[in-house]
Amino acid sequence: VEEGEVVGFIGRNGAGKSTLLKLISKVTFPTSGKLTTNGKVAGLLELGAGFHPELTGRENIFFQAAILGMPKKDIRSKEKEMIAFSELGEFIDTPVKYYSSGMYARLGFSVAIYLNPDILLIDEILSVGDASFQDKCIRRIKEFCRSKHKTVIIVSHSFGYLIELCHRLVWLESGSVALEGKPQPVIDAYLRSV
């Protein structure tokens, strides 16, 4: 994946898509081979991954952003924007153990996108939450991608979003690349195979 690309990954469950994102983000490490990243990586790999259930949404913003390397002064300067983007204003001081999966997605996406990473990893976030929030995420990703130096890697079963967002698509089958290319032809080939 080159700098500035938006690349999507598709495939059946168990094909290795989420594992690939975990390897890129160094949540797990390869048993063989080598994977190299250049730049700051932030991602949404699992809803609420890293959130502490007893902490409030606001506390988790500081907790998660600090773990991902954002200085405290930067977190403070972006806190209001993150909360506004998440649309969780009235719930932001509620412990996240009471949040729905959609609320987790909102908070997680808000933190990840405001970290201003060089590489943004997104695993199925575009299929969670209501349509208006999904559209808002798409618009934010498009804004993020306007810089030719930002890279986005998306795993999703939402083919419409992948066609709209991605420069190219990679179809994984049992941990190997089955096909890669422009989104629509790759999706068409994948759908013929299932």
Side-chain angles (χ1 to χ4, degrees), residues 20-32:
L20 175 65
L21 295 186
K22 289 177 182 176
L23 289 166
I24 293 169
S25 65
K26 296 181 174 56
V27 168
T28 190
F29 296 94
T31 53
S32 65

Side-chain angles (χ1 to χ4, degrees), residues 9 30 64 79 99 106 119 133-134 139 145 160 171 176 185-186:
F9 286 83
Q64 189 73 11
E79 176 187 10
Y99 282 17
R106 288 169 180 267
I119 304 166
F133 187 71
Q134 289 175 18
R139 286 192 307 273
C145 294
W171 166 18
S176 296
V186 173

Side-chain angles (χ1 to χ4, degrees), residues 37 53 71 104 182 190:
T37 57
Y104 267 104
K182 295 286 183 190
Y190 172 74

Side-chain angles (χ1 to χ4, degrees), residues 68-181:
L68 294 170
M70 190 176 205
K72 193 172 186 176
K73 68 177 180 62
D74 292 350
I75 300 169
R76 286 200 190 289
S77 72
K78 297 288 184 186
E79 176 187 10
K80 287 181 181 174
E81 291 176 64
M82 288 186 221
I83 294 168
F85 187 90
S86 73
E87 301 174 0
L88 294 173
E90 67 183 281
F91 302 104
I92 201 65
D93 292 312
T94 301
V96 297
K97 67 182 177 183
Y98 298 115
Y99 282 17
S100 67
S101 61
M103 293 166 82
Y104 267 104
R106 288 169 180 267
L107 189 62
F109 187 88
S110 298
V111 171
I113 201 73
Y114 280 96
L115 285 171
N116 197 26
D118 301 304
I119 304 166
L120 179 64
L121 308 175
I122 302 172
D123 191 357
E124 288 298 344
I125 190 70
L126 301 176
S127 60
V128 177
D130 58 45
S132 67
F133 187 71
Q134 289 175 18
D135 291 342
K136 186 177 178 178
C137 290
I138 297 290
R139 286 192 307 273
R140 187 66 173 112
I141 291 168
K142 285 179 180 178
E143 287 173 24
F144 181 82
C145 294
R146 283 195 188 120
S147 168
K148 61 183 175 183
H149 302 292
K150 301 294 184 180
T151 304
V152 179
I153 301 174
I154 303 172
V155 167
S156 182
H157 291 100
S158 299
F159 297 147
Y161 290 131
L162 293 171
I163 290 168
E164 183 179 355
L165 291 171
C166 296
H167 300 128
R168 68 184 167 104
L169 215 53
V170 178
W171 166 18
L172 292 181
E173 191 70 46
S174 301
S176 296
V177 175
L179 184 64
E180 94 177 76

Side-chain angles (χ1 to χ4, degrees), residues 58-70:
R58 184 183 315 275
E59 291 165 335
N60 271 294
I61 285 173
F62 279 86
F63 182 65
Q64 189 73 11
I67 286 174
L68 294 170
M70 190 176 205

